[in-house]
C-alpha cells in the first residue's frame, strides 16, 4: 500500500485526492493547505485523512511514501525538492517548475535518491490523446505536416503566471507526447489587457526540423470555450475536440496528392482526396484516475512514468523560450535541447 500525502487543496487538489482515494493500492494519509477553510472542507469530506496547515508534517509523515503537490507554480520547486530530499516519490502539478534550472535540479535529485518524479500532464492520460498518439506512432497519418491547437475561454485569470504557463502548457504537454519530433525554435506573441497583470492572450508558433509546424492559440478572455486540436498528415488528419461529449477524436481520410502535369515537368498538379471520416472508440476513464494508478504502479515497479520529470522539463524549456520571444514581440528563440531532453 502506497501512502499518499497531498499539499494544496485549492481548486485542483480535491480532484487529485478524490482520484487517489479510488486507487486500491494507495491510501491518502494526509493533506496540507495553508488555508483553514480548505482544511475544514477536507475534514468534512474525508474525516479519516490527517489535515495540517504545515506542509512539512505531510512530507515527513512516516506513512507518507509519495507527495502530490498542487500548489501555485512558484512553490513547486521548493516543495518537490523538500519531498525528494525526505526520500519521498513526487507527483507535481503542471508546469513542473517555474524555470528549467529548477526542473533539471529536481530530476537530478530524483535520480540520486532513486525516487519517481512525475508531472501532472493530465491530458496525456485521456483516451483521446492516447488514441491520437497511437495513430501517429503507427504511421496512421503519414508524414506529420502540422499541429494546430486552440484553447480559449473566459477563464480564471491567474496571478502568478501568464496564459502560456497556465493553458499552453496543456497543448505543449500533449504535443510532446503525441509527436515524435521536438520543436527547435519558437516565436510567441501575447498581450495583457489588464494593467499590471500577466498576458491573457498568446499565440505560439513552433518550428521543427523539416516541414512540420505547430501553432497554439490560448486566451483567457474569449466569449466561448474552444478546446480543439488539428493534426494534419500526408495521409490522414485528426480533429480532437475535447468539448465533444462523445466522438472527441475524428479521423479524416482527406489530403492532397501532388504530381507533375503531363504536358510539362514544371507544372504541379494538386489533387484533393476526400475519403471517409470515422470516430474511434475511446477509453472514457477519467484521466486523473488513469494517472493516479500509473503513478502508484511506477512507484511499485520502478518503471519510468509516461510524464516523467524529463517531459515536464521539455515543456518548461519551451515555455521559457516562448516567454523570451514574447518579450521581444515574436522574435524567434531557439529552444534549449538540454542534456536531458531526449
Ligand atoms: N492539471 C490540470 O488540469 C490543472 C488544472 C488546474 C490547476 N492545475 C495546477 O494545480 C496547481 C494549483 O492550482 P489551483 O488552481 O488549484 O490553485 P489554488 O490557488 O486554487 O490552490 C492552491 C492551494 O495551495 C495552497 N498552498 C500554497 N502553498 C502551500 C503550502 N506551502 N502548504 C500548504 N498549502 C499551500 C493554497 O492555500 C491554496 O489553497 C497549479 O500548479 C496549477 O497549474 C492543474
Amino acid at each position: 500500500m502506497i501512502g499518499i500525502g497531498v499539499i494544496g487543496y485549492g481548486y485542483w487538489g480535491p480532484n487529485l485526492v478524490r482520484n487517489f482515494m479510488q486507487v486500491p493500492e494507495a491510501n491518502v494519509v494526509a493533506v496540507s493547505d495553508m488555508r483553514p477553510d480548505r482544511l475544514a472542507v477536507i475534514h468534512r469530506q474525508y474525516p479519516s485523512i490527517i489535515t495540517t496547515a504545515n506542509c512539512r508534517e505531510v512530507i515527513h509523515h512516516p506513512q507518507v511514501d509519495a507527495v502530490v503537490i498542487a500548489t501555485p507554480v512558484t512553490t513547486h520547486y521548493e516543495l518537490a525538492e523538500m519531498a525528494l530530499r525526505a526520500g519521498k516519490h513526487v507527483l507535481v502539478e503542471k508546469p513542473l517548475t517555474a524555470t528549467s534550472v529548477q526542473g533539471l535540479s529536481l530530476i537530478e535529485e530524483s535520480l540520486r535518491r532513486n525516487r519517481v518524479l512525475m508531472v501532472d500532464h493530465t491530458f496525456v492520460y485521456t483516451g483521446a490523446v492516447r488514441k491520437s498518439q497511437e495513430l501517429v506512432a503507427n504511421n496512421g497519418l503519414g508524414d506529420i505536416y502540422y499541429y494546430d491547437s486552440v484553447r480559449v475561454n473566459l477563464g480564471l485569470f491567474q496571478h502568478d503566471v501568464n496564459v502560456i504557463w497556465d493553458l499552453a502548457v496543456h497543448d505543449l504537454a500533449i504535443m510532446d507526447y503525441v509527436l515524435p519530433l521536438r520543436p527547435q525554435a519558437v516565436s510567441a506573441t501575447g498581450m495583457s489587457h489588464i494593467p499590471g497583470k500577466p498576458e491573457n492572450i498568446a499565440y505560439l508558433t513552433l518550428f521543427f526540423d523539416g516541414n512540420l509546424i505547430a501553432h497554439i492559440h490560448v486566451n483567457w478572455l474569449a466569449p466561448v470555450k474552444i478546446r480543439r486540436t488539428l493534426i494534419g498528415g500526408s495521409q490522414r488528419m485528426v480533429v480532437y475536440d475535447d468539448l465533444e461529449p462523445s466522438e472527441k477524436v475524428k479521423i479524416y481520410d482527406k489530403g492532397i496528392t501532388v504530381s507533375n502535369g503531363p504536358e510539362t515537368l514544371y507544372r504541379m498538379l494538386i489533387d484533393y482526396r476526400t475519403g471517409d471520416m470515422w470516430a474511434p472508440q475511446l477509453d472514457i476513464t477519467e484521466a486523473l484516475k488513469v494517472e493516479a494508478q500509473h503513478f502508484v504502479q511506477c512507484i511499485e515497479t520502478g518503471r519510468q512514468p509516461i510524464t516523467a520529470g524529463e517531459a515536464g522539463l521539455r515543456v518548461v524549456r519551451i515555455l521559457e523560450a516562448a516567454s523570451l520571444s514574447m518579450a521581444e514581440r515574436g522574435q524567434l528563440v531557439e529552444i534549449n535541447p538540454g542534456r536531458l531532453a531526449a
Side-chain angles (χ1 to χ4, degrees), residues 40 47 60 62 70 74 83 87 90 101 103 117 123 125 128-129 155 192 212 242 267 269 279 307-308 336:
H60 295 289
T74 46
V90 171
V101 171
L117 173 65
F123 282 95
Y125 297 92
V129 171
S192 167
L212 168 59
D242 196 50
R267 208 168 136 223
L269 288 182
T307 55
N336 174 8

Side-chain angles (χ1 to χ4, degrees), residues 74-138:
T74 46
T75 65
H76 288 181
Y77 173 66
E78 192 193 335
L79 295 174
E81 193 198 35
M82 211 190 297
L84 287 169
R85 286 194 175 168
K88 309 295 163 107
H89 304 279
V90 171
L91 170 62
V92 196
E93 259 319 311
K94 61 80 189 167
L96 177 66
T97 46
T99 71
S100 56
V101 171
Q102 293 175 344
L104 189 57
S105 162
L106 288 187
I107 292 170
E108 287 171 348
E109 191 64 34
S110 71
L111 292 173
R112 263 197 298 277
R113 308 223 171 226
N114 198 19
R115 288 294 173 268
V116 173
L117 173 65
M118 180 164 143
V119 61
D120 177 14
H121 286 171
T122 319
F123 282 95
V124 165
Y125 297 92
T126 59
V129 171
R130 283 183 286 143
K131 178 59 76 180
S132 303
Q133 189 272 344
E134 211 178 284
L135 276 161
V136 171
N138 295 333

Side-chain angles (χ1 to χ4, degrees), residues 7-8 10-12 32-34 70-71 76 93-94 120 122 170:
I7 306 177
Y11 165 66
W12 198 244
S32 168
D33 200 293
M34 295 192 304
T71 54
H76 288 181
E93 259 319 311
K94 61 80 189 167
D120 177 14
T122 319
H170 289 304

Side-chain angles (χ1 to χ4, degrees), residues 145 147 175 179-185 205-215 318:
Y145 289 161
Y147 182 99
M175 210 178 72
L179 298 186
L181 299 171
R182 310 279 179 233
Q184 312 287 315
T205 307
L206 296 126
F207 299 90
F208 295 71
D209 262 353
N211 62 355
L212 168 59
I213 190 164
H215 187 262
I318 302 174

Side-chain angles (χ1 to χ4, degrees), residues 33-332:
D33 200 293
M34 295 192 304
R35 288 168 45 194
D37 58 316
R38 298 308 299 158
L39 293 181
V41 171
I42 185 139
H43 190 65
R44 238 187 353 262
Q45 288 171 327
Y46 308 101
S48 65
I49 294 179
I50 299 164
T51 55
T52 168
N54 182 354
C55 62
R56 285 166 207 269
E57 286 179 19
V58 168
I59 290 173
H60 295 289
H61 194 288
Q63 277 166 26
V64 168
D65 304 296
V67 176
V68 178
I69 298 167
T71 54
V73 183
T74 46
T75 65
H76 288 181
Y77 173 66
E78 192 193 335
L79 295 174
E81 193 198 35
M82 211 190 297
L84 287 169
R85 286 194 175 168
K88 309 295 163 107
H89 304 279
V90 171
L91 170 62
V92 196
E93 259 319 311
K94 61 80 189 167
L96 177 66
T97 46
T99 71
S100 56
V101 171
Q102 293 175 344
L104 189 57
S105 162
L106 288 187
I107 292 170
E108 287 171 348
E109 191 64 34
S110 71
L111 292 173
R112 263 197 298 277
R113 308 223 171 226
N114 198 19
R115 288 294 173 268
V116 173
L117 173 65
M118 180 164 143
V119 61
D120 177 14
H121 286 171
T122 319
F123 282 95
V124 165
Y125 297 92
T126 59
V129 171
R130 283 183 286 143
K131 178 59 76 180
S132 303
Q133 189 272 344
E134 211 178 284
L135 276 161
V136 171
N138 295 333
N139 206 25
L141 306 188
D143 296 333
I144 308 297
Y145 289 161
Y146 64 84
Y147 182 99
D148 189 312
S149 186
V150 181
R151 188 175 298 274
V152 304
N153 64 310
L154 207 55
L156 264 180
F157 273 68
Q158 304 291 334
H159 304 286
D160 59 336
V161 291
N162 67 18
V163 70
I164 64 169
W165 287 80
D166 180 45
L167 292 187
V169 60
H170 289 304
D171 301 290
L172 294 171
I174 296 169
M175 210 178 72
D176 181 76
Y177 178 61
V178 170
L179 298 186
L181 299 171
R182 310 279 179 233
Q184 312 287 315
V186 59
S187 162
T189 46
M191 206 56 79
S192 167
H193 297 97
I194 299 176
K197 291 285 174 200
E199 291 86 354
N200 50 271
I201 181 166
Y203 305 94
L204 275 64
T205 307
L206 296 126
F207 299 90
F208 295 71
D209 262 353
N211 62 355
L212 168 59
I213 190 164
H215 187 262
I216 295 170
H217 166 200
V218 283
N219 186 354
W220 281 328
L221 206 56
V224 290
K225 185 168 180 172
I226 307 174
R227 297 268 184 272
R228 195 181 297 132
T229 302
L230 312 181
I231 309 173
S234 54
Q235 301 297 318
R236 294 190 188 87
M237 302 183 191
V238 165
V239 177
Y240 159 37
D241 188 340
D242 196 50
L243 301 186
E244 280 279 332
S246 58
E247 305 190 343
K248 287 181 190 293
V249 172
K250 293 194 178 103
I251 302 158
Y252 290 81
D253 193 4
K254 288 186 179 190
I256 52 166
T257 47
V258 183
S259 55
N260 288 321
E263 46 313 334
T264 160
L265 272 175
Y266 302 106
R267 208 168 136 223
M268 295 270 225
L269 288 182
I270 298 177
D271 280 328
Y272 294 91
R273 194 170 42 74
T274 54
D276 291 338
M277 181 279 286
W278 73 98
Q281 191 76 32
L282 300 177
D283 179 358
I284 53 162
T285 313
E286 186 177 346
L288 270 187
K289 186 173 177 197
V290 177
E291 186 177 336
Q293 264 160 351
H294 181 59
F295 180 53
V296 170
Q297 273 163 11
C298 288
I299 293 171
E300 287 178 332
T301 61
R303 212 178 121 195
Q304 172 91 336
I306 297 170
T307 55
E310 285 81 355
L313 177 59
R314 285 194 296 271
V315 168
V316 169
R317 283 191 168 128
I318 302 174
L319 292 169
E320 267 180 349
S323 302
L324 277 176
S325 172
M326 206 150 74
E328 297 296 329
R329 292 188 158 226
Q331 189 179 307
L332 196 65

